[in-house]
Amino acid sequence: MKRLGTQLLSGLIFPVAPIAAICLISALCRNIWTASFYTPGEDGGEFEPSMAIIGVPILLVLSALILAGLTVLTRWIEGRYEPGIWWRTMMGILRTVLAAGSLMMFLIAAVFFMGDAQGVMTHWQVAVAWAVWGVCAGAFAVQQYRRVLR
């Protein structure tokens, strides 16, 4: 039962937490990013917010599926064969590249909704948004670090 709870929590950390954080940051900083970026009717003005709130979460789900596939493949190969250190190194490098790419996509989507860089000094929402991003990114980094060490 404890293993099921751990797996459920692990599934919530990524991609559910970053997607929820993107939606929360979007709602929290709505007045900031609409004033900074979005002009209705402007050419391509609808692309950036839709990419940040729809496109990036889809890419995060795809990367989560790939990371899960790497975990399953690693456990299967290591349980059936004894591939050696080269296998763990290769899987660790692949996992690190996918995790870094996922964190970059998450950061880009979150920063888009936070607006300009000067917003940190004038809007409390931006400080809260950075805290939410930091907690989600930290939990994801710890999760991936533990999986590489296994």
Side-chain angles (χ1 to χ4, degrees):
M1 189 64 165
K2 184 180 177 184
R3 181 148 170 93
L4 179 64
T6 304
Q7 288 176 342
L8 181 64
L9 181 62
S10 180
L12 292 176
I13 289 175
F14 187 75
V16 175
I19 292 172
I22 289 171
C23 294
L24 175 72
I25 291 169
S26 167
L28 188 65
C29 300
R30 185 168 206 82
N31 60 348
I32 298 169
W33 66 265
T34 54
S36 298
F37 294 112
Y38 183 66
T39 305
E42 183 181 310
D43 291 337
E46 300 83 12
F47 178 74
E48 290 91 357
S50 62
M51 186 61 188
I53 204 153
I54 296 169
V56 170
I58 289 171
L59 293 173
L60 290 176
V61 168
L62 290 175
S63 63
L65 292 173
I66 294 169
L67 285 169
L70 285 176
T71 301
V72 169
L73 179 66
T74 300
R75 289 182 183 166
W76 181 74
I77 292 289
E78 287 178 355
R80 189 169 183 131
Y81 309 104
E82 293 186 24
I85 193 70
W86 67 271
W87 175 260
R88 291 188 55 78
T89 303
M90 186 177 71
M91 288 294 113
I93 290 170
L94 283 172
R95 182 173 291 283
T96 302
V97 168
L98 279 168
S102 299
L103 280 175
M104 285 303 297
M105 285 187 294
F106 179 34
L107 177 64
I108 289 167
V111 167
F112 173 81
F113 291 122
M114 290 184 216
D116 59 355
Q118 297 163 351
V120 176
M121 302 301 177
T122 57
H123 299 287
W124 63 269
Q125 297 96 327
V126 176
V128 172
W130 275 115
V132 168
W133 183 86
V135 168
C136 289
F140 175 61
V142 168
Q143 175 193 47
Q144 295 306 311
Y145 179 73
R146 286 183 178 164
R147 290 211 174 132
V148 167
L149 290 182
R150 276 189 201 164

